[in-house]
mmCIF file of all heavy atoms in Angstrom:
data_model
loop_
_atom_site.group_PDB
_atom_site.id
_atom_site.type_symbol
_atom_site.label_atom_id
_atom_site.label_comp_id
_atom_site.label_asym_id
_atom_site.label_seq_id
_atom_site.Cartn_x
_atom_site.Cartn_y
_atom_site.Cartn_z
ATOM 1 N N ASP E 58 18.221 -11.976 -15.748
ATOM 2 C CA ASP E 58 18.570 -10.709 -15.110
ATOM 3 C C ASP E 58 17.817 -9.592 -15.819
ATOM 4 O O ASP E 58 17.455 -9.712 -16.996
ATOM 5 C CB ASP E 58 20.068 -10.412 -15.233
ATOM 6 C CG ASP E 58 20.935 -11.478 -14.594
ATOM 7 O OD1 ASP E 58 20.482 -12.125 -13.635
ATOM 8 O OD2 ASP E 58 22.067 -11.671 -15.067
ATOM 9 N N VAL E 59 17.626 -8.478 -15.111
ATOM 10 C CA VAL E 59 17.106 -7.264 -15.736
ATOM 11 C C VAL E 59 18.148 -6.172 -15.535
ATOM 12 O O VAL E 59 18.474 -5.818 -14.394
ATOM 13 C CB VAL E 59 15.755 -6.838 -15.125
ATOM 14 C CG1 VAL E 59 15.266 -5.534 -15.792
ATOM 15 C CG2 VAL E 59 14.711 -7.932 -15.287
ATOM 16 N N GLU E 60 18.691 -5.672 -16.644
ATOM 17 C CA GLU E 60 19.730 -4.641 -16.599
ATOM 18 C C GLU E 60 19.264 -3.411 -17.363
ATOM 19 O O GLU E 60 18.301 -3.453 -18.141
ATOM 20 C CB GLU E 60 21.033 -5.168 -17.215
ATOM 21 C CG GLU E 60 21.653 -6.334 -16.467
ATOM 22 C CD GLU E 60 22.959 -6.796 -17.089
ATOM 23 O OE1 GLU E 60 23.297 -6.307 -18.206
ATOM 24 O OE2 GLU E 60 23.634 -7.630 -16.482
ATOM 25 N N TRP E 61 19.989 -2.309 -17.161
ATOM 26 C CA TRP E 61 19.689 -1.073 -17.883
ATOM 27 C C TRP E 61 20.565 -0.987 -19.121
ATOM 28 O O TRP E 61 21.783 -1.141 -19.049
ATOM 29 C CB TRP E 61 19.911 0.151 -17.013
ATOM 30 C CG TRP E 61 19.490 1.416 -17.707
ATOM 31 C CD1 TRP E 61 20.282 2.334 -18.310
ATOM 32 C CD2 TRP E 61 18.142 1.863 -17.894
ATOM 33 N NE1 TRP E 61 19.530 3.338 -18.863
ATOM 34 C CE2 TRP E 61 18.202 3.067 -18.628
ATOM 35 C CE3 TRP E 61 16.890 1.358 -17.528
ATOM 36 C CZ2 TRP E 61 17.072 3.790 -18.981
ATOM 37 C CZ3 TRP E 61 15.755 2.074 -17.880
ATOM 38 C CH2 TRP E 61 15.845 3.270 -18.593
ATOM 39 N N ASP E 62 19.942 -0.763 -20.270
ATOM 40 C CA ASP E 62 20.639 -0.632 -21.543
ATOM 41 C C ASP E 62 20.702 0.844 -21.910
ATOM 42 O O ASP E 62 19.666 1.450 -22.221
ATOM 43 C CB ASP E 62 19.909 -1.429 -22.624
ATOM 44 C CG ASP E 62 20.701 -1.513 -23.927
ATOM 45 O OD1 ASP E 62 21.195 -0.474 -24.395
ATOM 46 O OD2 ASP E 62 20.808 -2.632 -24.468
ATOM 47 N N ASP E 63 21.906 1.418 -21.877
ATOM 48 C CA ASP E 63 22.067 2.845 -22.167
ATOM 49 C C ASP E 63 21.701 3.181 -23.608
ATOM 50 O O ASP E 63 21.113 4.236 -23.879
ATOM 51 C CB ASP E 63 23.505 3.289 -21.880
ATOM 52 C CG ASP E 63 23.772 3.416 -20.386
ATOM 53 O OD1 ASP E 63 22.866 3.880 -19.662
ATOM 54 O OD2 ASP E 63 24.874 3.047 -19.938
ATOM 55 N N GLU E 64 22.052 2.308 -24.529
ATOM 56 C CA GLU E 64 21.758 2.585 -25.937
ATOM 57 C C GLU E 64 20.258 2.581 -26.210
ATOM 58 O O GLU E 64 19.743 3.460 -26.920
ATOM 59 C CB GLU E 64 22.454 1.558 -26.826
ATOM 60 C CG GLU E 64 23.983 1.671 -26.841
ATOM 61 C CD GLU E 64 24.614 0.724 -27.839
ATOM 62 O OE1 GLU E 64 23.856 0.034 -28.562
ATOM 63 O OE2 GLU E 64 25.856 0.676 -27.892
ATOM 64 N N LYS E 65 19.558 1.627 -25.650
ATOM 65 C CA LYS E 65 18.102 1.554 -25.851
ATOM 66 C C LYS E 65 17.343 2.435 -24.865
ATOM 67 O O LYS E 65 16.141 2.658 -25.027
ATOM 68 C CB LYS E 65 17.639 0.108 -25.709
ATOM 69 C CG LYS E 65 18.200 -0.838 -26.762
ATOM 70 C CD LYS E 65 17.690 -2.254 -26.556
ATOM 71 C CE LYS E 65 18.247 -3.200 -27.611
ATOM 72 N NZ LYS E 65 17.758 -4.592 -27.396
ATOM 73 N N ASN E 66 18.061 2.883 -23.823
ATOM 74 C CA ASN E 66 17.458 3.718 -22.784
ATOM 75 C C ASN E 66 16.234 3.025 -22.160
ATOM 76 O O ASN E 66 15.182 3.623 -21.956
ATOM 77 C CB ASN E 66 17.049 5.089 -23.329
ATOM 78 C CG ASN E 66 16.793 6.091 -22.205
ATOM 79 O OD1 ASN E 66 17.482 6.094 -21.185
ATOM 80 N ND2 ASN E 66 15.797 6.948 -22.389
ATOM 81 N N GLN E 67 16.431 1.755 -21.852
ATOM 82 C CA GLN E 67 15.346 1.002 -21.250
ATOM 83 C C GLN E 67 15.897 -0.224 -20.513
ATOM 84 O O GLN E 67 17.051 -0.615 -20.701
ATOM 85 C CB GLN E 67 14.348 0.550 -22.307
ATOM 86 C CG GLN E 67 14.898 -0.432 -23.320
ATOM 87 C CD GLN E 67 13.862 -0.847 -24.353
ATOM 88 O OE1 GLN E 67 12.857 -0.188 -24.544
ATOM 89 N NE2 GLN E 67 14.118 -1.960 -25.028
ATOM 90 N N ALA E 68 15.041 -0.812 -19.693
ATOM 91 C CA ALA E 68 15.394 -2.043 -18.994
ATOM 92 C C ALA E 68 15.257 -3.216 -19.953
ATOM 93 O O ALA E 68 14.277 -3.304 -20.713
ATOM 94 C CB ALA E 68 14.483 -2.249 -17.791
ATOM 95 N N VAL E 69 16.240 -4.115 -19.933
ATOM 96 C CA VAL E 69 16.211 -5.259 -20.847
ATOM 97 C C VAL E 69 16.544 -6.538 -20.080
ATOM 98 O O VAL E 69 17.345 -6.522 -19.137
ATOM 99 C CB VAL E 69 17.210 -5.086 -22.013
ATOM 100 C CG1 VAL E 69 16.833 -3.888 -22.870
ATOM 101 C CG2 VAL E 69 18.634 -4.940 -21.490
ATOM 102 N N PRO E 70 15.937 -7.656 -20.478
ATOM 103 C CA PRO E 70 16.291 -8.948 -19.871
ATOM 104 C C PRO E 70 17.556 -9.502 -20.524
ATOM 105 O O PRO E 70 17.728 -9.405 -21.734
ATOM 106 C CB PRO E 70 15.077 -9.819 -20.184
ATOM 107 C CG PRO E 70 14.537 -9.259 -21.457
ATOM 108 C CD PRO E 70 14.819 -7.770 -21.424
ATOM 109 N N VAL E 71 18.430 -10.075 -19.718
ATOM 110 C CA VAL E 71 19.654 -10.690 -20.226
ATOM 111 C C VAL E 71 19.858 -12.017 -19.505
ATOM 112 O O VAL E 71 19.255 -12.282 -18.472
ATOM 113 C CB VAL E 71 20.891 -9.782 -20.032
ATOM 114 C CG1 VAL E 71 20.745 -8.490 -20.823
ATOM 115 C CG2 VAL E 71 21.112 -9.464 -18.556
ATOM 116 N N THR E 93 18.937 -5.224 -11.415
ATOM 117 C CA THR E 93 19.979 -4.322 -10.925
ATOM 118 C C THR E 93 19.364 -3.077 -10.308
ATOM 119 O O THR E 93 18.312 -2.590 -10.752
ATOM 120 C CB THR E 93 20.944 -3.906 -12.056
ATOM 121 O OG1 THR E 93 20.228 -3.106 -13.015
ATOM 122 C CG2 THR E 93 21.542 -5.121 -12.748
ATOM 123 N N GLU E 95 20.542 -0.180 -10.565
ATOM 124 C CA GLU E 95 20.611 0.889 -11.559
ATOM 125 C C GLU E 95 19.336 0.937 -12.394
ATOM 126 O O GLU E 95 18.838 2.016 -12.735
ATOM 127 C CB GLU E 95 21.813 0.696 -12.488
ATOM 128 C CG GLU E 95 21.937 1.792 -13.537
ATOM 129 C CD GLU E 95 23.012 1.513 -14.581
ATOM 130 O OE1 GLU E 95 23.543 0.389 -14.602
ATOM 131 O OE2 GLU E 95 23.294 2.426 -15.371
ATOM 132 N N THR E 96 18.789 -0.241 -12.703
ATOM 133 C CA THR E 96 17.546 -0.286 -13.468
ATOM 134 C C THR E 96 16.420 0.419 -12.719
ATOM 135 O O THR E 96 15.683 1.237 -13.284
ATOM 136 C CB THR E 96 17.150 -1.748 -13.757
ATOM 137 O OG1 THR E 96 18.168 -2.366 -14.544
ATOM 138 C CG2 THR E 96 15.826 -1.825 -14.489
ATOM 139 N N ILE E 97 16.275 0.108 -11.440
ATOM 140 C CA ILE E 97 15.236 0.740 -10.626
ATOM 141 C C ILE E 97 15.480 2.248 -10.539
ATOM 142 O O ILE E 97 14.545 3.053 -10.609
ATOM 143 C CB ILE E 97 15.199 0.115 -9.224
ATOM 144 C CG1 ILE E 97 14.979 -1.402 -9.305
ATOM 145 C CG2 ILE E 97 14.126 0.768 -8.372
ATOM 146 C CD1 ILE E 97 13.674 -1.810 -9.960
ATOM 147 N N ARG E 99 16.863 4.206 -12.719
ATOM 148 C CA ARG E 99 16.641 4.906 -13.989
ATOM 149 C C ARG E 99 15.158 5.038 -14.351
ATOM 150 O O ARG E 99 14.806 5.829 -15.228
ATOM 151 C CB ARG E 99 17.356 4.169 -15.119
ATOM 152 C CG ARG E 99 18.870 4.146 -15.034
ATOM 153 C CD ARG E 99 19.483 5.514 -15.225
ATOM 154 N NE ARG E 99 20.910 5.433 -15.496
ATOM 155 C CZ ARG E 99 21.456 5.490 -16.699
ATOM 156 N NH1 ARG E 99 20.680 5.617 -17.763
ATOM 157 N NH2 ARG E 99 22.759 5.405 -16.847
ATOM 158 N N LEU E 100 14.299 4.255 -13.746
ATOM 159 C CA LEU E 100 12.896 4.227 -14.137
ATOM 160 C C LEU E 100 12.034 5.148 -13.281
ATOM 161 O O LEU E 100 12.227 5.245 -12.070
ATOM 162 C CB LEU E 100 12.350 2.802 -14.033
ATOM 163 C CG LEU E 100 12.934 1.765 -15.008
ATOM 164 C CD1 LEU E 100 12.436 0.377 -14.648
ATOM 165 C CD2 LEU E 100 12.564 2.103 -16.448
ATOM 166 N N LEU E 108 7.665 -2.250 -16.566
ATOM 167 C CA LEU E 108 8.598 -3.341 -16.303
ATOM 168 C C LEU E 108 7.900 -4.503 -15.621
ATOM 169 O O LEU E 108 8.171 -5.676 -15.937
ATOM 170 C CB LEU E 108 9.757 -2.842 -15.433
ATOM 171 C CG LEU E 108 10.774 -3.907 -14.996
ATOM 172 C CD1 LEU E 108 11.412 -4.587 -16.201
ATOM 173 C CD2 LEU E 108 11.855 -3.284 -14.104
#
Side-chain angles (χ1 to χ4, degrees):
D58 300 331
V59 179
E60 296 182 351
W61 185 258
D62 189 312
D63 285 322
E64 292 186 4
K65 296 180 180 179
N66 196 37
Q67 65 180 19
V69 297
V71 297
T93 66
E95 181 188 10
T96 298
I97 303 299
R99 295 293 195 98
L100 294 172
L108 176 59

